[in-house]
Amino acid sequence: MSAAGAASVTSVVVRLKLSLLRNGLRQSAGRRAAYVASVVVVLLFAALQLIGLIALRGDEHAAGVAVPLVALLALGWAVMPLFFPSGDETLDPTRLVMLPLRPRPLVRALLTASLVGIGPLFTLCLLLGSVIAVAHGPAAYVTAVAAVPLVLLGCVALARAVAAANIRLLTSRRGRDLAVLSGLVIAVGLQVVNFGIQRLGSSGLGRLDPVADVLGWIPPASALGAVQSMSEGSYGVGAARLALAGLALAALLRMWSRTLTRLMTSPDGSTLQAVAAGGTRKRTRSTGLSRLLPPGRTGTIMERSLRYVWREPKTKAAWVTSLAIGLIVPVFNALQGTGSIYFACFAAGMLGILMYNQFGQDSSAFWTVATTISSARDAYLELRGRALALLSITLPFATFVTVLTAALLGDWAALPEALGLSFALLGAMLATGAWASARFPYSIPQEGYKNVAPGQAGLAWISIFGGMVASALLCLPVIGLTIWLHVSAGGESWTWLLLPAGAAYGAGIAVLGLRLAAPRTAGRLPEILTAVSRA
């Protein structure tokens, strides 16, 4: 294709990007307001970052902040397409496979179009602030002129290459799983960043210098490392780092071009036959999960519940969120020296919440379960199987978090009582969760990011928060026993009894709760089915 043709393709794709943006904003006033608000917030944050980086100019640790910041920025560009594949429709090159386009001009056009948006502008502001903070001397200024576009193009090319290489995944069910889990990743990342900032506040920015020395050789942050080297008079090292960033950009563009070629010339799963060559569908093999579960109806219910955890995006997101937060809160507090071993009960509490709204997780498919329940005995077996499936993950995880917290704090003497309290809390939440599932069921939309159907938010609040208060009240006997042993003379030598006492109490209260919830579940099947099937 000639240069004029390539330029024409580039201009068309850029206009297409602008048209998509313009037409999207025309859909509603609320969407326009949200877009304008996001632009204002991003630009304000970028301006503050720019001012902060400029203020670092002349500081001996300026490069220690700027280089890791650029590396973190590049990492964000690499992973965001995996979590937000629908954020930019032009990220999907399969939309262009029917057009007579060659990969090389298409790469140039998509790369140019990718520079249009809030993200590139935010990145440019941070890059300008970084080079201003690091650059000193004519050689560094000249290097900075080349480093800024190199890093910007490198970040954009990295995002595009990752999106193109994983586009089949991103448009599949597993891709939607990643999108649902994106909020969790962001929340965990913010906790890690917050922890790092607190550590830096107590030890100073000098701790980042060794990290910056390593990241200064990893593209595209190596381009900023080149500016730092030029400022220090290490011209050979600076040239090598700049060349490394250029080579990495060329490699990314080549990988992107080859991926586009494969996408535009090879068939996908929708064009291939789903049967074997002999015309018969292959028989699926057992994963072995059923062999680890009890026989009969209980094992069947447990296997169904565990498969939901692995296969259903909303259920998977809820589980991973609870597991992550249940681990982060006690561990991070212990690492900061401000924690207590009782924070380990947070793991049992977060996972116990998953017992609430058990039937809403099935959505409209609950009718297949309802057909198997004709008595309180059937309802009890159903609730017991779901509770045992939850316990198969929750019990070892809560034990692990408690032991880990005790190890980090060095408070092994309090381990038995913390485990006893965790087990009692878990049993109480199983009991209240089973009752709340029957009394306050609500639907969970399968599409989008909402976890409650419109008009049912009140039911969700009553179910979860009312159940949490009831669980706390049910745990009062174990809490009271713990306090009494600590305040009574010689009682601390008997705190180990809280482990068997808490475990026995939790098991007893869970069984009692399941038995009380079973008749209500069997008697309210039509109401439950109507509530959980609501769109």
Side-chain angles (χ1 to χ4, degrees):
M1 184 177 292
S2 64
S8 175
V9 171
T10 301
S11 62
V12 168
V13 173
V14 171
R15 290 200 301 271
L16 174 63
K17 176 71 174 285
L18 295 174
S19 297
L20 288 171
L21 178 61
R22 183 173 58 253
N23 293 336
L25 295 178
R26 286 176 177 175
Q27 292 181 3
S28 66
R31 187 163 184 170
R32 288 194 297 272
Y35 182 79
V36 171
S38 64
V39 170
V40 171
V41 171
V42 169
L43 291 180
L44 179 61
F45 185 67
L48 294 175
Q49 292 287 321
L50 179 61
I51 295 172
L53 288 168
I54 293 175
L56 282 175
R57 181 175 175 81
D59 190 283
E60 60 177 339
H61 302 300
V65 175
V67 174
L69 180 63
V70 171
L72 184 63
L73 193 65
L75 178 63
W77 274 95
V79 301
M80 282 302 105
L82 298 177
F83 295 132
F84 302 102
S86 60
D88 184 355
E89 293 182 272
T90 63
L91 279 174
D92 187 358
T94 59
R95 297 172 181 265
L96 308 174
V97 295
M98 300 301 294
L99 301 178
L101 299 173
R102 294 185 179 274
R104 184 169 297 179
L106 185 58
V107 166
R108 188 180 302 113
L110 291 176
L111 184 64
T112 305
S114 298
L115 297 175
V116 178
I118 304 175
L121 180 59
F122 175 79
T123 304
L124 181 61
C125 291
L126 261 64
L127 292 177
L128 290 176
S130 298
V131 296
I132 292 174
V134 173
H136 300 283
Y141 297 149
V142 173
T143 306
V145 173
V148 170
L150 265 180
V151 176
L152 181 60
L153 293 175
C155 289
V156 174
L158 180 60
R160 286 290 185 169
V162 170
N166 295 278
I167 195 63
R168 303 290 193 204
L169 169 66
L170 298 179
T171 54
S172 67
R173 179 180 60 83
R174 293 188 181 275
R176 292 192 292 271
D177 291 354
L178 286 174
V180 171
L181 296 176
S182 60
L184 169 65
V185 175
I186 293 174
V188 173
L190 289 176
Q191 288 290 336
V192 173
V193 171
N194 179 54
F195 177 67
I197 291 174
Q198 290 182 0
R199 299 282 294 196
L200 287 175
S202 60
S203 57
L205 297 177
R207 293 178 62 93
L208 287 175
D209 290 342
V211 179
D213 292 337
V214 175
L215 295 178
W217 287 98
I218 300 177
S222 60
L224 188 62
V227 178
Q228 175 195 3
S229 299
M230 292 295 186
S231 300
E232 296 173 350
S234 303
Y235 302 119
V237 174
R241 287 178 167 180
L242 191 65
L244 186 61
L247 290 173
L249 176 59
L252 282 173
L253 294 176
R254 181 174 178 80
M255 182 181 74
W256 184 14
S257 177
R258 295 183 65 177
T259 304
L260 286 178
T261 302
R262 185 172 65 253
L263 287 172
M264 299 174 75
T265 57
S266 62
D268 62 3
S270 63
T271 62
L272 300 176
Q273 292 184 353
V275 295
T280 59
R281 190 176 299 273
K282 294 183 178 180
R283 184 176 298 175
T284 58
R285 295 184 178 180
S286 174
T287 59
L289 177 61
S290 58
R291 281 176 248 153
L292 302 175
L293 301 175
R297 182 171 181 171
T298 299
T300 302
I301 296 170
M302 291 180 64
E303 184 174 3
R304 184 218 311 149
S305 299
L306 293 174
R307 289 189 184 276
Y308 274 0
V309 173
W310 180 250
R311 294 181 176 180
E312 207 282 312
K314 288 293 181 71
T315 305
K316 182 188 293 186
W319 269 95
V320 175
T321 302
S322 297
L323 289 169
I325 297 178
L327 178 65
I328 287 173
V329 170
V331 170
F332 273 40
N333 278 279
L335 289 173
Q336 293 175 5
T338 59
S340 167
I341 194 170
Y342 298 111
F343 281 175
C345 295
F346 205 83
M350 287 299 301
L351 294 174
I353 293 176
L354 298 174
M355 187 63 189
Y356 294 81
N357 197 34
Q358 278 290 309
F359 309 127
Q361 299 174 11
D362 299 350
S363 189
S364 58
F366 177 69
W367 73 269
T368 60
V369 176
T371 58
T372 67
I373 300 176
S374 58
S375 64
R377 169 70 178 172
D378 294 334
Y380 173 73
L381 293 176
E382 177 70 28
L383 290 170
R384 187 183 67 176
R386 292 174 182 249
L388 289 175
L390 189 143
L391 280 175
S392 66
I393 301 175
T394 302
L395 204 58
F397 181 78
T399 303
F400 166 74
V401 172
T402 307
V403 173
L404 179 60
T405 305
L408 292 175
L409 295 173
D411 192 5
W412 294 105
L415 177 61
E417 58 188 273
L419 281 173
L421 286 170
S422 293
F423 295 158
L425 176 61
L426 185 57
M429 298 197 78
L430 289 178
T432 57
W435 190 87
S437 295
R439 182 64 183 84
F440 303 109
Y442 56 90
S443 177
I444 301 177
Q446 298 301 303
E447 301 295 334
Y449 295 91
K450 292 182 178 180
N451 290 317
V452 181
Q456 293 185 327
L459 286 174
W461 280 91
I462 294 173
S463 173
I464 296 176
F465 288 97
M468 292 172 64
V469 173
S471 299
L473 294 176
L474 288 175
C475 289
L476 284 179
V478 181
I479 296 174
L481 177 60
T482 304
I483 296 174
W484 179 76
L485 288 176
H486 278 283
V487 299
S488 62
E492 292 193 1
S493 60
W494 295 95
T495 54
W496 61 271
L497 288 174
L498 289 169
L499 175 55
Y505 180 81
I509 202 70
V511 172
L512 179 62
L514 293 175
R515 291 195 175 278
L516 292 176
R520 183 172 291 273
T521 301
R524 300 190 73 247
L525 281 179
E527 293 88 344
I528 295 173
L529 183 58
T530 301
V532 301
S533 301
R534 181 173 177 178

